[in-house]
Amino acid sequence: FAVLPAIALGGIFSKFGAESKSPQYTAVLLLFGCYLSDFELVSYVPKCTFSSLLVLAAIDLVHSWFMKSFQKSVDVFEWFVVPFIVVAGLTTGMLESVGMGIAASTLIFVHSFHQAGVVKFLANGLTVRSTIERNCEDNEWLDQNADLIQVLVLQNYLFFGNATSCLNYISSMFDDDEANGSDVDLPPVPKYIIIDMSIVTGIDTSAVDVLVEISSLCSSHKCQLIFAGVPRFVRPALMAGGVK
């Protein structure tokens, strides 16, 4: 805690333009002079000067970390980490409060990451076509049956939380009209499902288990599951988990 005032005053000195080498060398010389005089020079400085600097540092910290951060924050829960760390520091301790702040920030990040979703793009054979040249008969067949092909483009890091939403969505593809009890015409049950993983940044073992469940679900409904654009750093995890 002894260095906290110096750290807090660093921002104020920066605003005064004391970032160059000259003020820093001057501060070292003053400190050396105080040391040679056994810090008797400090006694000539009014006490109100030190207290005013501490008050100014406190005001600057509150303005920078509370008011400015609140204006920049879109999510209130994200800003709430700052007063949480302050309260935790006053009740538990400095190091404990830092650990609690890291834990709270991690939870907020995981929650926001989960809300971002794992499915970036949905399409079928009617809306997405390859660049392969086909004859008229093949094009006509695709025009009539291309909705049997479903395409899912996944994104971000795959873990159990967001991979489960992908499993639930694919499971809904195999629901028939009678099961839903609706008069709305639903797309036909797919025969081919293509999962594009070209922009996936990583995957953990729990997400691999979910992909295994998706593969088993597709096999039980006689639907062929195809993985496309799988990054090289993702392939070993899929192979180790039994995903083919």
Side-chain angles (χ1 to χ4, degrees):
F1 287 96
V3 299
L4 291 181
I7 296 175
L9 292 174
I12 298 177
F13 294 154
S14 177
K15 292 181 181 179
F16 289 160
E19 296 179 347
S20 59
K21 295 182 179 180
S22 299
Q24 297 179 19
Y25 290 150
T26 304
V28 172
L29 292 176
L30 288 175
L31 181 61
F32 184 69
C34 292
Y35 176 77
L36 293 179
S37 64
D38 199 16
F39 292 94
E40 290 183 359
L41 294 177
V42 180
S43 62
Y44 295 99
V45 180
K47 295 182 179 180
C48 62
T49 303
F50 295 102
S51 59
S52 299
L53 284 175
L54 292 177
V55 172
L56 183 60
I59 295 174
D60 183 72
L61 287 175
V62 171
H63 181 263
S64 300
W65 292 98
F66 282 84
M67 300 179 63
K68 281 188 175 181
S69 61
F70 182 78
Q71 295 174 356
K72 296 178 181 179
S73 299
V74 179
D75 190 358
V76 180
F77 291 99
E78 181 179 354
W79 172 84
F80 186 73
V81 175
V82 176
F84 174 74
I85 294 176
V86 174
V87 174
L90 295 175
T91 55
T92 59
M94 183 177 178
L95 295 179
E96 292 81 358
S97 63
V98 172
M100 293 180 182
I102 294 175
S105 300
T106 303
L107 292 176
I108 294 175
F109 171 76
V110 172
H111 177 70
S112 301
F113 193 82
H114 178 68
Q115 287 185 334
V118 65
V119 180
K120 180 178 178 61
F121 181 71
L122 297 172
N124 56 32
L126 294 174
T127 57
V128 176
R129 293 285 180 88
S130 64
T131 57
I132 297 177
E133 295 184 0
R134 301 181 179 87
N135 54 37
C136 296
E137 295 180 356
D138 293 339
N139 288 326
E140 183 178 356
W141 185 91
L142 285 175
D143 292 336
Q144 297 177 358
N145 302 280
D147 53 353
L148 298 176
I149 304 173
Q150 296 292 327
V151 180
L152 284 80
V153 180
L154 305 185
Q155 63 177 350
N156 297 330
Y157 187 87
L158 300 183
F159 61 100
F160 179 79
N162 53 17
T164 304
S165 61
C166 183
L167 172 62
N168 295 333
Y169 178 77
I170 294 178
S171 299
S172 65
M173 295 181 181
F174 301 106
D175 296 337
D176 53 14
D177 296 347
E178 295 180 358
N180 291 327
S182 175
D183 296 333
V184 180
D185 292 335
L186 297 177
V189 176
K191 297 297 183 182
Y192 303 92
I193 295 179
I194 301 174
I195 297 181
D196 188 349
M197 304 179 66
S198 56
I199 56 176
V200 171
T201 58
I203 188 172
D204 64 1
T205 55
S206 61
V208 174
D209 294 336
V210 175
L211 294 180
V212 173
E213 293 184 25
I214 294 176
S215 179
S216 301
L217 178 65
C218 294
S219 299
S220 62
H221 290 84
K222 298 180 180 180
C223 175
Q224 185 175 355
L225 179 63
I226 302 172
F227 292 96
V230 181
R232 292 184 177 180
F233 54 86
V234 176
R235 295 175 186 175
L238 296 181
M239 297 177 61
V243 179
K244 299 180 180 181

